[in-house]
Amino acid sequence: MKLWHSPVSPFVRKVMITAHETGQARDITTVDANTSVVARNPDLVRDNPTGKIPALVLDDGTVLFDSRVICAFLDSRHSGTPLIPETGIERFRVLTLEALGDAIMDAAVLARYERALRPAEARWDKWEAGQIAKITSALDDLEARWLGLLGGRPNAGMVSVGAALGYLDFRFPDLDWRAGRPGLSAWYGGFARRPSMQATKPGP
Ligand code: 99T
């Protein structure tokens, strides 16, 4: 399988954490996508018309995107305990936690683009502040309501939240997300030591 990849994308990291947690990292060949919202890679666009990463190309040419679909696909093809519970409300709680982690990444990537890509004269501080507000309220919700599911055996929600918090450390150290969130900080301190997280640290 070929994965359109970037070492700085938290969505790609989510897929690679899943691959490591489910013993499939060796089945994946990564290809540097070298893409941006203002400089698209036409080869990637042929596989994923949105031009976004990650996209996974299976050996028969079938293309899967986005990260949620790819993670669910990987989870469907290993013999260990599934990262997404198969039945019950637990399944949908884990999927909601995954959505919350994804939402943090969505807002953080948009804020990053605002800072890094948009010309200074066109920047809109209120819009960036709106993205940061989404991150802040999502982090508060994780601290207040989700610590129970952020424990024990890894699940798809933890993978997404782990990738999101790693991205905040990487791109937004000034946000100081740990301040006032002792439970989330302690959980991440442990989760970040997992081999899957260590093997997928973001970098240039
Ligand atoms: O928007 C674009 O054209 C290029 N951006 C991306 O491909 C980002 C890379 S993170 N990926 C997504 O936004 C994927 C979101 C999708 N819903 C999913 O896969 O879950 C780059 C971060 C950085 O450069 O700091």
Side-chain angles (χ1 to χ4, degrees), residues 121-144:
E121 67 277 10
R123 260 177 226 152
W124 186 10
D125 290 345
K126 197 173 171 188
W127 189 91
E128 187 193 323
Q131 300 303 336
I132 301 294
K134 287 179 195 291
I135 296 170
T136 304
S137 52
L139 291 170
D140 288 343
D141 199 57
L142 287 170
E143 178 74 20

Side-chain angles (χ1 to χ4, degrees), residues 8-11 35-37 50-54 66-68 106 109 112-113 167 171:
V8 300
S9 165
F11 297 101
T35 193
S36 127
V37 65
T50 71
K52 291 188 179 187
I53 51 172
D66 57 6
S67 66
R68 237 181 272 189
D106 281 333
V109 167
R112 163 72 187 168
Y113 287 162
Y167 187 70
R171 290 293 198 206

Side-chain angles (χ1 to χ4, degrees), residues 14 67-68 71 84 94-103 156-157 160:
K14 197 184 133 194
S67 66
R68 237 181 272 189
C71 290
I84 304 171
V94 165
L95 289 172
T96 302
L97 183 59
E98 180 180 10
L100 190 54
D102 285 6
S160 177

